[in-house]
Amino acid sequence: MHNKFPHLFEPFKLGSVRLKNRITKAPLFTAYAHKDGTVSSLTLEHYKEVAEGGVGMIVVANGIVDESGSISKYSIRVDDDRFLPGLSRLADTIKKEDAAAVLQINHGGYFAHGRKTFSPSSVSLSDLNLGGLYKTALKSLDFQQQLAVLSEAIQQRPSRPKKMTEDDIKYMVSAYAQAALRAKKAGFDMVEIHGATGYLPVQFLSPRINNRKDQYGGNLENRMRFPLELTQAVMDAVGSDFPVGYRFLADEWIDDGFPLDEAKIFAQRLSDLHVAYLSVTAGTYESFSRPEIVEKSHEPGYMVYLAENIKEVVDVPVITTGRITAPQLAEEILREKKADLIGLARPLFVDPEWPQKAYEGKDEDIVPCENCGACFQLVVSDRSALCVQWGKTKLIKRKNMIKEVHNPRKKILIAMDESENATMAAAYAADMLANRTDVTITLFHITTDESIKDESGIKEMMDIARSILIKAGIPEKAINIQIRQKKAGMGNDILNEIAEAGYGTVVVGRRGVSRANQLLFGSVSNKIVQNAKDCTVWVVE
Ligand SMILES: Cc1cc2nc3c(=O)[nH]c(=O)nc-3n(C[C@H](O)[C@H](O)[C@H](O)COP(=O)(O)O)c2cc1C
């Protein structure tokens, strides 16, 4: 038992998943994914760092269940199997550090970005109380940046979302279920349905927003129908051995909004479905910037009373979040049984080592979140999150990584066998890419029984290829050489490298065999042309 914080470091079980302690990373959307929705190296670095800090469970924020629901240019997407490799790497990265990996799944409803957005009612965004949100989003930008953000928002977002038909509702329920199943396939331990912050499930629950006259609108029973149906569908899809949590809105904190007394009834219904936990929050983009809410949210543990209220009426574990910056407060909440688990969003963004420092009794070394709002301002203006409290080195490193995510260099692989085709492939690439500074090129050689005998010859060939590229104006530091031993055969090894490192272009020479022979025996280049995914292949003859 831990001397100083015995409750905080007590293990816990969510369904079949064991947590090593009661500290969880509450979801904090960072906008670190690539524009195509794939997991970036920055995403991996961020979650690895948090996992290494000793937290018991990590909720990865905001995996998008359908393209129409994306809330930012840099959201992680879960709506297609092509996202599986990156999601698997992310789940592995977290689990390697003995933290449970949870993927939050979401649809933004009318807060989504695309040309076609969905909502239960055809509410115009200008009817909503979003002045505070826009002010927050624009506050930290200069005039030019403000214009850019506004014009992009106007171009991208239709003024009214499509009012969902019953078919749209069925489709969306199934999109959540498919996304959850994909998270399971990728190796996550759990999923968390995002039912807070004003996104699609809340748009159904809120009596202000939902003005439908059918079975999905009107009284509470009808307004709960969509979130309950989607929760059931998610649970059916993943099976009973896979825990499904719910990010829960306990109060919309706005007049005529979804109130606590209705939330308690909804919580009981989710508890009856046996969700794995309720992670209790409050407020939406319409209420966050109301002066009384801003004031309230400066208080340590400002949402604990809501967790307590919900805990009283449910049989499932409850997570509480909201300015729990000190382990002493976390310990007290657990000791007094106000919640079962502690959620830390910004505190772990500022200082991922919060759990480890508390464990070692060095809690005075924890860097507490100062509630400056910078991370929030960044993500709501569609930029990637940073923390101004980080040290200079980390801040600079992250800024550079963010630049790379927003404007990725094109990654090119030149497959180099031991024949002169390889040098031809390099010469062709040099011609095509002359003077390009936005590329990184990898000269990639798989050793064969023949080539292994002539190590110096291979090195010489790689050096010739490198100098051809440098002569064509490719910066020296943008050229890498990689020599690997054959594992699964030349073609397969190259294909594995393409998939793992995410190359956009592959250049390969075709061996000097006749077309008839190629048809008969196949060739490395044919194999790559036929099997490389999401990548252009240049075959040089
Ligand atoms: C920048 C930022 C991004 C957030 N993104 C998410 C999110 O993607 N999903 C979610 O459920 N909550 C999100 N939240 C809410 C947090 O999980 C948390 O409830 C809130 O920040 C209060 O807790 P904290 O004081 O520990 O940060 C976000 C909060 C911030 C500040």
Side-chain angles (χ1 to χ4, degrees):
M1 187 196 272
H2 192 269
N3 288 340
K4 202 164 175 186
F5 306 115
H7 295 86
L8 202 49
F9 289 99
E10 200 176 38
F12 195 75
K13 267 193 117 179
L14 287 174
S16 52
V17 180
R18 181 185 181 274
L19 312 185
K20 65 184 170 199
N21 58 43
R22 307 277 182 121
I23 310 165
T24 74
K25 165 84 177 76
L28 184 143
F29 177 61
T30 49
Y32 283 172
H34 290 130
K35 272 189 199 146
D36 64 0
T38 52
V39 165
S40 68
S41 48
L42 176 56
T43 317
L44 295 175
E45 163 148 325
H46 163 59
Y47 285 107
K48 181 170 191 285
E49 189 189 33
V50 177
E52 284 170 348
V55 70
M57 153 176 149
I58 292 184
V59 184
V60 171
N62 249 311
I64 297 301
V65 301
D66 186 71
E67 203 174 357
S68 64
S70 188
I71 57 156
S72 148
K73 278 190 291 219
Y74 310 109
S75 303
I76 290 175
R77 280 175 55 186
V78 205
D79 56 316
D80 192 282
D81 283 351
R82 73 176 185 276
F83 301 110
L84 277 173
L87 292 168
S88 294
R89 245 172 272 153
L90 182 53
D92 282 351
T93 301
I94 294 171
K95 292 197 305 189
K96 234 182 227 153
E97 302 301 329
D98 194 22
V102 186
L103 183 65
Q104 185 180 57
I105 53 173
N106 188 27
H107 188 291
Y110 53 57
F111 283 123
H113 256 240
R115 296 292 309 148
K116 190 172 181 189
T117 54
F118 290 91
S119 191
S121 317
S122 184
V123 184
S124 163
L125 285 187
S126 56
D127 294 341
L128 302 175
N129 299 301
L130 293 175
L133 176 71
Y134 295 143
K135 236 163 122 184
T136 307
L138 299 177
K139 201 153 83 182
S140 60
L141 304 176
D142 64 29
F143 184 62
Q144 285 303 325
Q145 289 171 319
Q146 289 184 355
L147 280 183
V149 167
L150 286 174
S151 74
E152 204 175 309
I154 291 165
Q155 279 168 29
Q156 275 197 353
R157 285 203 170 115
S159 58
R160 271 175 203 279
K162 180 182 183 222
K163 177 178 171 181
M164 290 167 79
T165 62
E166 294 216 357
D167 279 348
D168 293 330
I169 290 176
K170 275 199 196 100
Y171 167 81
M172 222 53 94
V173 164
S174 140
Y176 276 87
Q178 292 307 311
L181 188 56
R182 220 164 265 127
K184 182 179 178 183
K185 273 193 202 153
F188 280 90
D189 296 304
M190 295 179 240
V191 287
E192 175 179 293
I193 296 166
H194 195 345
T197 319
Y199 294 126
L200 191 58
V202 172
Q203 292 163 28
F204 274 88
L205 287 168
S206 172
R208 293 175 49 251
I209 305 301
N210 182 345
N211 55 26
R212 297 177 76 94
K213 303 278 178 275
D214 64 1
Q215 55 165 338
Y216 290 96
N219 62 33
L220 178 61
E221 193 59 36
N222 285 354
R223 281 181 281 120
M224 290 190 296
R225 197 176 307 280
F226 174 71
L228 288 174
E229 278 183 2
L230 84 84
T231 305
Q232 186 64 63
V234 163
M235 294 177 79
D236 290 346
V238 294
S240 57
D241 59 338
F242 191 81
V244 175
Y246 197 98
R247 193 99 223 259
F248 186 81
L249 183 91
D251 195 332
E252 208 178 329
W253 279 343
I254 197 160
D255 292 344
D256 310 321
F258 184 61
L260 178 59
D261 56 349
E262 287 196 344
K264 283 182 170 179
I265 298 169
F266 180 48
Q268 284 167 338
R269 297 293 288 274
L270 289 170
S271 172
D272 291 346
L273 292 183
H274 304 297
V275 292
Y277 63 82
L278 294 175
S279 173
V280 173
T281 66
T284 71
Y285 288 122
E286 288 190 88
S287 48
F288 289 144
S289 38
R290 292 176 57 202
E292 60 274 35
I293 302 302
V294 172
E295 201 182 320
K296 191 189 188 80
S297 61
H298 281 293
E299 292 298 316
Y302 67 97
M303 292 191 282
V304 174
Y305 77 98
L306 293 169
E308 269 185 284
N309 266 278
I310 297 302
K311 192 167 161 50
E312 270 168 21
V313 297
V314 298
D315 300 319
V316 295
V318 165
I319 305 180
T320 185
T321 311
R323 283 201 68 61
I324 304 174
T325 48
Q328 284 78 1
L329 174 59
E331 177 69 16
E332 185 187 306
I333 294 166
L334 296 176
R335 190 177 54 240
E336 293 176 4
K337 300 195 185 323
K338 292 176 175 171
D340 302 283
L341 294 163
I342 300 297
L344 308 176
R346 289 165 299 171
L348 289 183
F349 194 54
V350 181
D351 188 354
E353 291 176 352
W354 191 110
Q356 190 57 33
K357 287 176 179 169
Y359 186 76
E360 289 170 3
K362 294 181 184 158
D363 39 297
E364 272 153 30
D365 293 349
I366 289 173
V367 185
C369 166
E370 286 169 1
N371 205 17
C372 71
C375 53
F376 188 70
Q377 278 169 27
L378 284 166
V379 294
V380 293
S381 56
D382 219 8
R383 289 173 296 164
S384 301
L386 288 167
C387 175
V388 293
Q389 291 180 251
W390 288 338
K392 207 171 159 194
T393 316
K394 178 168 171 183
L395 205 52
I396 292 173
K397 185 175 178 210
R398 281 286 163 96
K399 279 185 180 169
N400 285 334
M401 289 187 84
I402 288 171
K403 260 194 217 149
E404 182 66 34
V405 168
H406 292 193
N407 297 300
R409 281 163 194 274
K410 294 180 181 55
K411 288 180 80 174
I412 296 165
L413 180 142
I414 306 182
M416 304 283 293
D417 64 10
E418 63 278 14
S419 74
E420 65 186 42
N421 288 302
T423 350
M424 271 167 46
Y428 179 79
D431 253 10
M432 299 296 287
L433 302 168
N435 300 318
R436 292 278 293 269
T437 50
D438 60 341
V439 294
T440 55
I441 300 180
T442 300
L443 297 165
F444 189 73
H445 176 73
I446 303 283
T447 51
T448 58
D449 294 343
E450 274 164 56
S451 72
I452 210 158
K453 287 185 215 138
D454 184 15
E455 223 175 283
S456 64
I458 293 298
K459 195 174 168 303
E460 194 182 326
M461 184 186 72
M462 297 298 241
D463 285 344
I464 293 172
R466 189 216 294 264
S467 52
I468 293 174
L469 292 166
I470 293 173
K471 230 174 169 178
I474 311 287
E476 199 170 340
K477 64 176 190 310
I479 307 166
N480 312 302
I481 290 184
Q482 283 208 33
I483 301 178
R484 299 260 182 88
Q485 264 191 336
K486 187 153 91 177
K487 274 193 198 149
M490 180 101 73
N492 286 335
D493 286 349
I494 294 172
L495 285 167
N496 287 343
E497 171 68 13
I498 295 170
E500 265 170 34
Y503 289 93
T505 303
V506 173
V507 190
V508 56
R510 200 194 288 276
R511 275 171 183 273
V513 287
S514 72
R515 287 203 178 268
N517 272 350
Q518 275 180 33
L519 283 177
L520 216 52
F521 304 117
S523 74
V524 171
S525 54
N526 280 354
K527 185 159 203 161
I528 295 172
V529 169
Q530 280 159 17
N531 298 301
K533 292 207 179 84
D534 299 325
C535 144
T536 312
V537 184
W538 297 348
V539 179
V540 182
E541 305 228 24

